[in-house]
Amino acid sequence: GLCTNCGTALAGPFCSGCGTPANSSAKSHGEGWGALTSEFVSRPKSDGILAVTISFLRHPIQTILRLTDDPAYQSHWSFLTACVGAQLTLVYVALPRLYSALFGMPDAANSSAVITNEIVQYVGMAILTPIQFYVCRALGSIRRTPMSYVKLCVLSVSYGSLLSISIALIYFAIVLADKKAGSILELDEVWQALALVTMAAVLTFVTATHRRFWGMSWPIATAVTIGAAAMSWLVVYPGLQALVEQAKIGETIGNLLG
């Protein structure tokens, strides 16, 4: 038979194209853009955040492909929320306060930056994901549904947050060691080097996952990844960041929340 969701020929209990159960009806399983609503309003299952985190750190590409194709795993939104929240809280609140406490400096924590960057992250994903989906669908050889790609993107951003957490902790350790040694390092250069390493790791990860997920060649997957990165890092996110900061949305929400 054929999958009721995407039309792929069935050869097992789940569709190889979108992961829909073979005995599922089109009405009982939504994989179109409208299914996003149910992702947010439905109660998430046990997310297994620690187990997924460890798996990502050990085998990132295998983990994201396995979870994306696993219809039983529906905790990707809660995992994203946990990862992004932890990353931004660590960078803008926890580490600055720890540094201030260790060296008697004024408190440099910026809780409004956490809210601002969360808004930018989620709105940016909402803008970029549909564009990337149709580009990848046109260039890839494997048929995928919108929701399966949303899941891949959500997990990709989550992995990026995990990398950022690791880099932030490494940089903080270097700062502490440099402070103890008498400030012998150019910390700006150290941060730039770590940022480049993170960027290269993210680009490699996204290229490899898109190549396998969409059935692309390496050149096409690389071109798609670089194009998406350029749009994200040079246009969409900087523009949203400037807009949100100018409107002082983060500060306003932060004040309302106390």
Side-chain angles (χ1 to χ4, degrees):
L2 300 177
C3 174
T4 57
N5 185 57
C6 70
T8 301
L10 295 172
F14 298 102
C15 173
S16 61
C18 66
T20 301
N23 60 355
S24 174
S25 67
K27 292 182 179 180
S28 65
H29 187 83
E31 281 283 328
W33 294 114
L36 273 173
T37 303
S38 63
E39 289 283 357
F40 285 108
V41 300
S42 61
R43 175 175 294 186
K45 299 178 182 179
S46 177
D47 47 37
I49 291 177
L50 181 59
V52 173
T53 299
I54 293 173
S55 182
F56 256 121
L57 294 177
R58 294 180 61 188
H59 307 290
I61 296 175
Q62 294 91 328
T63 297
I64 191 173
L65 295 174
R66 172 177 59 81
L67 294 177
T68 300
D69 286 334
D70 181 3
Y73 181 75
Q74 295 297 323
S75 299
H76 45 291
W77 286 109
S78 57
F79 185 65
L80 172 69
T81 302
C83 291
V84 172
Q87 173 205 349
L88 296 177
T89 301
L90 182 73
V91 171
Y92 291 107
V93 179
L95 292 182
R97 283 183 177 166
L98 179 57
Y99 184 85
S100 299
L102 289 174
F103 300 104
M105 306 288 288
D107 189 355
N110 186 358
S111 57
S112 65
V114 175
I115 300 173
T116 296
N117 282 275
E118 283 185 334
I119 293 172
V120 169
Q121 181 66 71
Y122 286 108
V123 174
M125 287 180 62
I127 294 171
L128 291 165
T129 302
I131 298 173
Q132 294 170 191
F133 171 77
Y134 290 111
V135 171
C136 291
R137 189 174 72 168
L139 298 175
S141 61
I142 299 176
R143 184 181 176 87
R144 298 288 187 175
T145 63
M147 284 307 297
S148 65
Y149 187 60
V150 167
K151 193 176 184 182
L152 181 81
C153 290
V154 166
L155 291 172
S156 293
V157 174
S158 302
Y159 178 67
S161 292
L162 292 177
L163 283 180
S164 296
I165 289 172
S166 301
I167 293 299
L169 292 174
I170 292 172
Y171 179 70
F172 188 72
I174 293 174
V175 169
L176 294 182
D178 182 61
K179 192 79 172 178
K180 185 175 181 180
S183 301
I184 59 176
L185 297 175
E186 292 291 339
L187 293 177
D188 288 342
E189 295 181 1
V190 172
W191 176 250
Q192 290 174 5
L194 290 174
L196 288 175
V197 170
T198 305
M199 187 181 301
V202 168
L203 290 175
T204 301
F205 172 77
V206 173
T207 300
T209 55
H210 274 61
R211 183 185 74 86
R212 292 178 58 178
F213 184 78
W214 287 104
M216 295 176 172
S217 65
W218 275 110
I220 291 178
T222 301
V224 168
T225 300
I226 292 176
M231 185 184 299
S232 303
W233 296 339
L234 301 179
V235 180
V236 175
Y237 286 118
L240 288 172
Q241 187 84 25
L243 182 63
V244 174
E245 289 179 350
Q246 185 176 9
K248 297 183 178 180
I249 298 175
E251 295 179 17
T252 302
I253 295 177
N255 292 333
L256 291 174
L257 296 176

